[in-house]
Amino acid sequence: MTTSAALTRKPRSAALLARQVMGEAGIGIALLALVVVFAVAAPKFATSDNLTNIATEITLNTMLAVGMTFVILVGGIDLSVGSVMALSAVVAGPLLTAHGLSTPVAILLAVLVSALVGMGCGLVNGFVSERWRVPSFIITLGMLNVARGAALQYTNAKTVYDFPAGFSLFGTSTVLGIPTLFWIALAMVAVGHLVLTRTVFGRLVFAIGSNEEAVRLSGHRTSIVKVAVFVISGLTVGIAAVTYMARLNIASPILGSGYELSAIAAVVIGGASLSGGKGSMIGTLLGACLLGVLTNGLLLMGVSDFQRQMITGLVIMVAVVVDYYRGRLAARLPVEA
Amino acid sequence: MNTPDTSPPAPVLAAVGISKHFPGVQALDDVRLELLPGEVHALLGENGAGKSTLVRILAGIQQPDGGGMTLGGEPYRPADTAAAIRAGVQVVHQELNLLPNLTVAENLFLQNFPRRFGLVDRRELNRRAAELLAEVGLDISPRTKVERLGIAQMQLLEIARTLWQDCRVLVMDEPTATLTPRETERLFTLLRRITARGTAVLYISHHLEEVFEIGDRMTVFRNGRYVTTRDLADTDTAEVIRLMVGRDLQHEYPPYLPGEPGPELLRAEGLQPQDGQPVSFALRAGEVVGVAGLVGSGRTETVRALFGADRAVGGKVLVKGVPARLRTPRDAVRHGISLLTEDRKSQGLVLDMPLAANVTLTATHKVSWGGLLRRAEENRLAQHAVDSLAVRTPGVRHPVRTLSGGNQQKVVLGRWLLADTDVLMVDEPTRGIDVGARYEIHQQLVDLARAGKALLVVSSDLPELMGICDRILVFSRGRIAGEVPREEFDSSHILTLAYSGYVSAPASATLSSTDPAADASPADASAAERPTAEASATGTPADATSTNGDTR
């Protein structure tokens, strides 16, 4: 008996270690390793200019991924974020160029309208899929097309530009060497993290993703939570739309195409399960960073666009495999005898 | 099995010195087990005793840390379930392992479809499936989708699946937990036929009565250790419980204290569940009311409709004399009514969340302020629940998935205690739960009633209801066939009522005996079975009712 006990000690701690490695710590370690590799392989990688560059590049995806995290945690998905972002931008954009409005007022108005458009689309996504019990995959796929079409219709396929100078100045400003817009993304991550971990709402988001029926039978209105996550996603889309305009100085009806997939990738690489109930905002941030570092580092190493796309795809596949394996490992470690 | 030691038959399966360690617990510590050909061998022990771990090792799901096994004299060390099945060890798990979207026939022959010209031969598949179904006494079409079956039917289907394969050892983990007495009897007939072929059956159940009825020998585990193996003929229930628990349980049920029922807290008038019959009853403060009846007799449907878990199609509910609309569980909770559902894993717990989060899932207002969680308060209340309900857990932040069934049930109970509702309805509160935890849960239920709550206890375990209830409502075929006060508790009387709705059905009016259980002794379930077996030929009781009862 003593020998068997001694024998078991080793695999036990190894299993625990493996679990930790594959959790949030795992993505952190992977990110760190990637940074070290690129720092060695690409001399220009570890410069403050380049790091600022990366922060700028991942700002939009981080913002979208914050909302996407909420949606994925309840077991849903939001494929419409890219298109809705375009719709938000083209509806809010003209307000910035409107005459007779002082710049701060115009910006405020644009943010408000952009957020409302995003939240409105999110509300439709959430309400329809919840009211008629249709998978959000289908509904948001529909919204992907509806919003894109609406953006093109609204603008007659024309791009809005000529934003006030103060607005684009804000878009390129930095605080403590970090782009202001990235600070905003970080703030969104922080708020999202607090909502998920410190509020009853966040608790219900996780619980619904794991066992919706149990939450319903506990006396909660699960529908409201499930609609709310899509509205939250819409809100982050609205903010991202203004961010896009501030940075690129245009509002095009075709912007944001494919952004939904990057956002989903960040969330999944960050350790969330597509079946819901598992994931974290910190993981999502790290996932977005990892994708950004990967793209940037490969670019600096002179890897072609096509190859970069392949490598990014592989990373996503690895993340999903790891997620699956982690689930199986957890299932294989029952303490109950 | 009582033959002298001169020529003991060689064991078909022998396991010696098996040990298994999991983080934080030594699940098995040097246990052994010997199965003789053709015997039904009961494996007994409280939850957490290590029975399920041994089953997983036998099935090849897990590998032991130490010890060895032989099957038919050959070393047996299955690397996975497929290897175990090839070697002839079949396991019917507590959790059913069927594919809901496939048909009955497809599930039966999943591992080996009959083929013709490389394509699945559907006609042959359905023909062979029909044979197997007849053998286990399941009156369903092989073309039925499994998702449309009731739990009991799925259970029998799972057993049927093992029949066509070459099987030397059949392991049954809590096979009767979801079966009605009639279905259990059918299962036993089946088991006897299987053992007659020389197959050894390892039978795991908390129902000691059944164990004594079907079993030849038993092995008892306690806390992951081997206690003893003996012939069941040489022992009795009291001794078995003593061996399992390691202490004497004075009473199987808490002492009954007659209480003075208080004001009426809840009244259902003509409440009609979807696809059900209207029923009326009332609950008063301070009383424990039992709900007896066969699986599918409308018990669960009624409490779920009352709680708002499923939509009621008619009738009204009065809470403390005032009409109330309970359309969702939320409405019910706000009116001070709670329901502990029959399936704690799929309908009660969020398995991967910490114990504390599960305990406070309903009473979130008690652990939050303006929507913000107060962790310290949550931990304090959860710890209080753990202490007062004697939940065995490493800590309140520990995920409930890893707790034993009894402790998980206590967590759900703790949630409703924290919610502090006036009316507590519990559906199968002790199903699949070990003796010690059962007693503790019974004690808790009785205490709650004496503290002024109204309790409604739905259970298939008649002794349980007779042990703790003040009165019992007997459901039969969707209606309340009768109400029995404590002074008149008598299992044959209650069973007769439970079956009454089925025997008085017009289709079976030709039965010679219209009051079949009247002359049956209380323990003689088979006499009471007869009429239902007849009635089932007309497709009424268990088949029809368990489909509407157990699938959702």
Side-chain angles (χ1 to χ4, degrees):
Chain A
M1 280 171 335
T2 44
T3 47
S4 70
L7 275 174
T8 56
R9 200 148 296 147
K10 205 182 264 176
R12 173 186 162 204
S13 55
L16 279 179
L17 189 71
R19 267 171 91 152
Q20 278 165 358
V21 164
M22 283 182 295
E24 258 170 44
I27 164 85
I29 290 167
L31 179 58
L32 214 63
L34 212 54
V35 167
V36 170
V37 168
F38 284 138
V40 173
K44 281 187 193 155
F45 179 82
T47 60
S48 68
D49 270 3
N50 188 49
L51 293 181
T52 306
N53 203 2
I54 294 175
T56 305
E57 287 300 324
I58 67 175
T59 297
L60 282 176
N61 194 29
T62 304
M63 288 177 168
L64 295 177
V66 167
M68 190 68 77
T69 304
F70 280 92
V71 174
I72 286 179
L73 277 174
V74 297
I77 198 136
D78 189 349
L79 296 176
S80 69
V81 293
S83 301
V84 173
M85 189 172 136
L87 182 62
S88 289
V90 298
V91 173
L95 294 170
L96 291 164
T97 58
H99 297 289
L101 288 176
S102 69
T103 305
V105 174
I107 292 177
L108 210 66
L109 208 60
V111 171
L112 200 68
V113 168
S114 182
L116 283 177
V117 170
M119 288 163 79
C121 292
L123 185 66
V124 172
N125 282 335
F127 180 79
V128 173
S129 73
E130 191 54 26
R131 174 66 182 76
W132 287 283
R133 304 261 151 201
V134 196
S136 53
F137 184 95
I138 306 296
I139 294 305
T140 59
L141 187 62
M143 180 59 78
L144 180 150
N145 289 303
V146 170
R148 181 70 65 194
L152 287 162
Q153 176 77 40
Y154 188 78
T155 57
N156 262 324
K158 290 200 178 68
T159 301
V160 185
Y161 47 90
D162 270 345
F163 294 143
F167 183 55
S168 34
L169 217 58
F170 172 71
T172 50
S173 66
T174 61
V175 175
L176 303 174
I178 292 170
T180 314
L181 296 175
F182 189 62
W183 278 115
I184 295 174
L186 286 180
M188 287 164 69
V189 169
V191 171
H193 177 72
L194 289 178
V195 169
L196 281 183
T197 56
R198 294 294 150 101
T199 66
V200 174
F201 177 79
R203 166 70 53 81
L204 293 180
V205 166
F206 276 103
I208 288 171
S210 303
N211 189 346
E212 184 179 350
E213 183 67 357
V215 178
R216 187 178 79 93
L217 292 175
S218 299
H220 290 287
R221 283 183 292 200
T222 54
S223 296
I224 289 186
V225 176
K226 288 177 74 188
V227 173
V229 294
F230 283 94
V231 176
I232 290 174
S233 178
L235 173 63
T236 62
V237 169
I239 297 172
V242 178
T243 305
Y244 184 99
M245 292 189 286
R247 198 157 66 78
L248 296 172
N249 254 319
I250 55 161
S252 153
I254 55 163
L255 68 81
S257 176
Y259 279 30
E260 59 278 352
L261 298 181
S262 304
I264 293 166
V267 177
V268 171
I269 290 173
S273 161
L274 283 176
S275 50
K278 207 173 59 179
S280 79
M281 209 48 87
I282 306 300
T284 293
L285 175 62
L286 293 174
C289 288
L290 192 135
L291 279 176
V293 165
L294 193 67
T295 307
N296 176 277
L298 292 172
L299 193 76
L300 291 183
M301 282 174 68
V303 176
S304 80
D305 254 13
F306 307 142
Q307 289 164 335
R308 221 170 58 214
Q309 207 163 349
M310 289 194 281
I311 292 172
T312 308
L314 283 174
V315 167
I316 294 169
M317 285 155 88
V318 168
V320 174
V321 170
V322 166
D323 170 60
Y324 172 76
Y325 181 71
R326 195 162 42 139
R328 282 202 343 172
L329 196 76
R332 283 181 63 148
L333 285 175
V335 177
E336 184 194 3
Chain B
M1 296 318 114
N2 285 327
T3 45
D5 288 331
T6 47
S7 60
V12 56
L13 180 122
V16 186
I18 302 289
S19 294
K20 181 72 186 175
H21 189 98
F22 294 116
V25 62
Q26 183 76 38
L28 287 177
D29 188 356
D30 192 26
V31 299
R32 67 192 119 114
L33 178 72
E34 232 177 47
L35 300 182
L36 303 178
E39 77 166 338
V40 174
H41 192 111
L43 181 56
L44 302 172
E46 291 193 79
N47 275 0
K51 296 167 302 187
S52 300
T53 306
L54 184 67
V55 168
R56 283 196 287 264
I57 288 171
L58 290 177
I61 299 168
Q62 280 163 355
Q63 275 62 48
D65 301 329
M69 298 185 282
T70 58
L71 183 68
E74 305 282 312
Y76 173 64
R77 205 178 172 93
D80 51 30
T81 37
I85 289 169
R86 270 199 306 279
V89 177
Q90 295 270 0
V91 179
V92 177
H93 288 283
Q94 225 168 325
E95 279 83 24
L96 297 174
N97 203 7
L98 299 166
L99 302 176
N101 291 319
L102 297 189
T103 67
V104 166
E106 287 164 342
N107 267 282
L108 279 172
F109 292 98
L110 203 55
Q111 284 128 319
N112 191 9
F113 278 130
R115 266 166 245 227
R116 229 175 123 205
F117 311 125
L119 300 172
V120 173
D121 184 350
R122 292 218 157 256
R123 187 175 304 179
E124 173 70 6
L125 175 72
N126 289 327
R127 192 188 61 74
R128 279 164 58 179
E131 277 175 23
L132 272 180
L133 293 173
E135 197 173 341
V136 298
L138 256 181
D139 183 23
I140 50 175
S141 159
R143 293 179 184 81
T144 313
K145 286 244 168 92
V146 163
E147 63 186 353
R148 296 183 49 211
L149 302 183
I151 291 179
Q153 290 170 318
M154 292 191 195
Q155 190 105 38
L156 286 171
L157 184 60
E158 183 104 10
I159 293 161
R161 184 151 78 164
T162 65
L163 285 181
W164 61 269
Q165 289 158 326
D166 181 33
C167 179
R168 288 204 273 184
V169 174
L170 176 63
V171 181
M172 315 207 76
D173 195 354
E174 288 284 351
T176 61
T178 50
L179 300 188
T180 62
R182 186 172 64 91
E183 289 157 337
T184 302
E185 200 51 50
R186 205 184 266 174
L187 170 68
F188 285 176
T189 312
L190 193 62
L191 284 185
R192 289 189 192 101
R193 208 176 313 157
I194 292 171
T195 52
R197 302 184 197 162
T199 301
V201 174
L202 183 64
Y203 191 87
I204 298 171
S205 175
H206 287 298
H207 286 259
L208 294 182
E209 275 173 51
E210 284 173 16
V211 165
F212 277 97
E213 186 185 341
I214 188 74
D216 300 307
R217 297 195 306 155
M218 65 158 187
T219 292
V220 178
F221 286 0
R222 184 167 69 228
N223 294 330
R225 288 165 198 270
Y226 172 88
V227 177
T228 186
T229 298
R230 27 181 110 162
D231 281 359
L232 280 162
D234 302 341
T235 181
D236 58 28
T237 314
E239 188 189 13
V240 170
I241 291 177
R242 208 157 45 238
L243 288 167
M244 285 183 349
V245 181
R247 60 177 191 270
D248 274 301
L249 280 185
Q250 291 281 308
H251 306 280
E252 225 183 317
Y253 296 97
Y256 179 74
L257 300 168
E260 193 60 38
E264 180 183 295
L265 294 182
L266 183 68
R267 171 177 288 274
E269 279 179 8
L271 182 76
Q272 188 174 8
Q274 189 94 46
D275 303 323
Q277 306 285 334
V279 295
S280 303
F281 60 90
L283 301 177
R284 299 167 71 182
E287 64 173 355
V288 183
V289 178
V291 175
L294 308 180
V295 170
S297 60
R299 306 170 309 179
T300 297
E301 292 76 1
T302 301
V303 291
R304 281 182 64 95
L306 181 54
F307 185 62
D310 298 323
R311 195 57 62 87
V313 294
K316 59 178 179 176
V317 175
L318 291 89
V319 178
K320 293 176 186 164
V322 183
R325 271 159 65 90
L326 310 179
R327 301 193 339 157
T328 64
R330 187 177 131 94
D331 294 340
V333 171
R334 288 163 92 87
H335 280 93
I337 299 162
S338 52
L339 171 66
L340 191 146
T341 51
E342 60 177 336
D343 187 339
R344 60 182 167 268
K345 278 189 180 164
S346 71
Q347 297 165 4
L349 294 164
V350 184
L351 288 170
D352 288 319
M353 291 184 94
L355 183 150
N358 274 283
V359 167
T360 60
L361 192 56
T362 292
T364 43
H365 61 278
K366 288 192 177 174
V367 293
S368 63
W369 188 82
L372 294 174
L373 286 173
R374 300 185 317 187
R375 284 282 182 97
E377 182 66 4
E378 174 172 277
N379 288 341
R380 193 183 68 78
L381 290 174
Q383 188 60 51
H384 179 73
V386 165
D387 294 341
S388 60
L389 292 170
V391 183
R392 271 166 285 165
T393 172
V396 296
R397 309 297 323 171
H398 203 76
V400 290
R401 180 186 291 283
T402 55
L403 303 182
S404 73
N407 286 312
Q408 289 182 341
Q409 191 72 309
K410 287 178 185 175
V411 170
V412 186
L413 187 59
R415 176 192 302 162
W416 291 119
L417 295 188
L418 187 62
D420 199 24
T421 55
D422 299 324
V423 178
L424 177 59
M425 305 189 287
V426 295
D427 196 353
E428 301 287 2
T430 62
R431 175 190 285 171
I433 286 176
D434 59 88
V435 176
R438 258 172 71 101
Y439 186 89
E440 287 164 8
I441 287 171
H442 288 149
Q443 182 71 60
Q444 199 70 40
L445 296 179
V446 171
D447 287 351
L448 284 169
R450 298 305 168 240
K453 313 249 183 216
L455 268 85
L456 189 71
V457 182
V458 178
S459 178
S460 298
D461 186 346
L462 199 48
E464 168 173 275
L465 292 179
M466 300 205 303
I468 62 172
C469 293
D470 296 302
R471 56 189 170 99
I472 295 177
L473 306 172
V474 187
F475 272 65
S476 189
R477 211 177 185 193
R479 298 180 186 279
I480 297 181
E483 179 182 332
V484 187
R486 184 161 186 105
E487 309 82 65
E488 294 169 25
F489 279 0
D490 169 62
S491 49
S492 85
H493 176 47
I494 294 171
L495 270 176
T496 309
L497 284 174
Y499 283 104
S500 61
Y502 305 103
V503 289
S504 59
S508 46
T510 52
L511 277 175
S512 52
S513 163
T514 47
D515 191 6
D519 55 352
S521 68
D524 188 0
S526 61
E529 300 297 341
R530 223 181 300 121
T532 27
E534 291 290 337
S536 85
T538 68
T540 28
D543 300 332
T545 49
S546 64
T547 31
N548 74 38
D550 298 319
T551 47
R552 70 177 71 86

